Amino acid sequence: MTSRIRIPAGRVTSRTVRRHQVLALSGGGYRGLFTAHVLEQLEDARSVSMHERFDLIAGTSAGALIAAGLAHGIPASRIRDTFERHGTRIFPSGGIKKTAKQLITAPYSAGPLSDALDEVFADKPGVLDAPIAQQRIRLLVTAISAREHRARVYGGKGIGDAIHPLISLREAILSSAAAPTYFPIRDAPNAEPLVDGGLVANDPALVALTYARRRYAVDFNDLFVLGIGTASPDPAVTKEGRLARGAGGWLVSLDRSLVLMTLNAQEELSQRIVEGLMGSHYVRIDATPSADEARYLKLDLATTRSTQVLKKLAQQAAGASLRKPAIRAFLD
């Protein structure tokens, strides 16, 4: 990843720099299939492994699962295939029963997601249940302490925060995916009760940038960040009647407007900040679904139609991205 880059006159003199490349993968529930399929298309088109191309890979929620696999050299095609096949088990349709259940407890269990992890890491025995902080992997995973209301950033050896040194890779991923109103709080062994890092870092680009600078002690001129989203539809919070809710309406709303608003707002703000800091050194791959497509892109909707829409959008986004020199530079 070493290349000669001419820094514009007036900032610093021309010099040889090493591209320190960072990959940031957003959270998005089953829409993580979009992320995995984009990565699969990029790896196949350029005959590369993301593990070899990036100095640091960060992920939140579904992005944490994908990032962890990539950091261990697992092909994006296997991650996508596993995610797709396990989707209906992770997010089973429940109709009225599911709606009633979410008023009392989380409607989904972490068990099927843990099973999917076992399949992704099938040829790497012991990795999932070993402490993430002891593994020599270029990985960051975000979560939140439900007890202290503070962000937790777990990572490979020498990269993440020096907290909960014995938390396993599995628990870090499951905690990052424990989205309130979807999954129960994760009472992680060797750690503390944890929830989805998406509430503070659904787009982990800003976190990744900060930790990359700390880990590699490099200047912004040497850092390049590629972010990949989850084809998030336009937020539904502003539909008629929803802004007039009282506290009870926000808390028990079955469309989870408060959680979704938090995830969307954080993601958009993170992108603005990173772009402002890095300019052309930050690029992002995402898709904007049509109104018809958006109907099938809920975080917990894993159906044949939602799978088709996500894969179609991923193929289009990857194809368009490969025509951009700034994105090809990450892969060549």
Side-chain angles (χ1 to χ4, degrees):
M1 286 173 279
T2 301
S3 60
R4 297 190 68 85
I5 301 174
R6 297 189 66 82
I7 307 300
R11 297 182 67 184
V12 294
T13 57
S14 296
R15 61 191 177 94
T16 299
V17 300
R18 181 179 184 273
R19 284 181 63 106
H20 288 268
Q21 301 194 155
V22 175
L23 180 62
L25 308 179
S26 294
Y30 188 64
R31 296 200 313 260
L33 179 64
F34 169 89
T35 312
H37 198 37
V38 166
L39 289 161
E40 178 184 13
Q41 300 289 306
L42 298 182
E43 285 191 338
D44 289 349
R46 308 305 285 185
S47 298
V48 296
S49 165
M50 295 297 163
H51 169 72
E52 298 171 348
R53 299 306 304 153
F54 289 91
D55 298 281
L56 183 62
I57 303 176
T60 296
S61 194
L65 184 159
I66 300 167
L70 297 177
H72 275 281
I74 296 170
S77 58
R78 185 198 302 177
I79 301 171
R80 188 273 310 155
D81 178 67
T82 303
F83 203 86
E84 183 177 343
R85 287 187 296 99
H86 284 255
T88 55
R89 294 188 61 239
I90 297 170
F91 298 109
S93 59
I96 295 175
K97 289 182 179 180
K98 185 177 75 173
T99 300
K101 183 178 180 181
Q102 78 180 59
L103 293 173
I104 303 171
T105 185
Y108 304 115
S109 164
L113 182 56
S114 185
D115 292 341
L117 284 171
D118 285 328
E119 189 167 314
V120 169
F121 287 84
D123 63 351
K124 297 185 180 297
V127 162
L128 278 171
D129 297 310
I132 181 174
Q134 295 178 15
Q135 300 185 36
R136 294 189 178 278
I137 48 175
R138 302 185 294 272
L139 173 68
L140 286 176
V141 171
T142 65
I144 299 173
S145 166
R147 178 181 295 143
E148 297 186 14
H149 297 185
R150 297 176 64 91
R152 304 301 189 203
V153 182
Y154 302 109
K157 192 167 186 177
I159 298 176
D161 291 337
I163 189 169
H164 307 143
L166 296 181
I167 188 172
S168 68
L169 177 60
R170 183 194 304 272
E171 287 299 330
I173 296 170
L174 294 178
S175 297
S176 184
T181 75
Y182 291 89
F183 292 96
I185 291 175
R186 190 71 188 172
D187 195 8
N190 300 312
E192 61 188 320
L194 296 164
V195 297
D196 185 4
L199 298 178
V200 293
N202 198 54
D203 174 2
L206 186 58
V207 174
L209 173 61
T210 302
Y211 281 71
R213 286 201 70 198
R214 185 179 74 177
R215 174 66 174 85
Y216 302 114
V218 294
D219 188 82
F220 277 123
N221 288 311
D222 302 343
L223 279 166
F224 295 78
V225 178
L226 173 61
I228 303 182
T230 61
S232 176
D234 289 338
V237 176
T238 55
K239 286 187 178 179
E240 184 177 358
R242 293 186 179 177
L243 293 181
R245 287 183 173 142
W250 280 108
L251 292 174
V252 304
S253 60
L254 299 183
D255 59 4
R256 302 178 174 96
S257 295
L258 185 57
V259 172
L260 295 177
M261 182 177 68
T262 302
L263 300 180
N264 290 332
Q266 188 287 323
E267 187 161 2
E268 188 272 338
L269 180 60
S270 173
Q271 292 164 35
R272 276 195 281 148
I273 293 174
V274 176
E275 185 175 10
L277 289 171
M278 303 196 68
S280 62
H281 283 210
Y282 172 58
V283 292
R284 183 173 169 83
I285 302 173
D286 209 345
T288 302
S290 68
D292 179 65
E293 291 168 335
R295 296 162 46 208
Y296 303 99
L297 300 186
K298 297 178 181 179
L299 271 71
D300 59 344
L301 185 61
T303 64
T304 299
R305 181 57 180 154
S306 65
T307 298
Q308 292 171 343
V309 170
L310 287 165
K311 293 176 73 173
K312 183 191 78 170
L313 290 171
Q315 291 164 6
Q316 293 172 346
S321 298
L322 287 167
R323 294 192 289 272
K324 299 177 180 179
I327 290 179
R328 291 201 304 272
F330 283 93
L331 307 174
D332 296 336

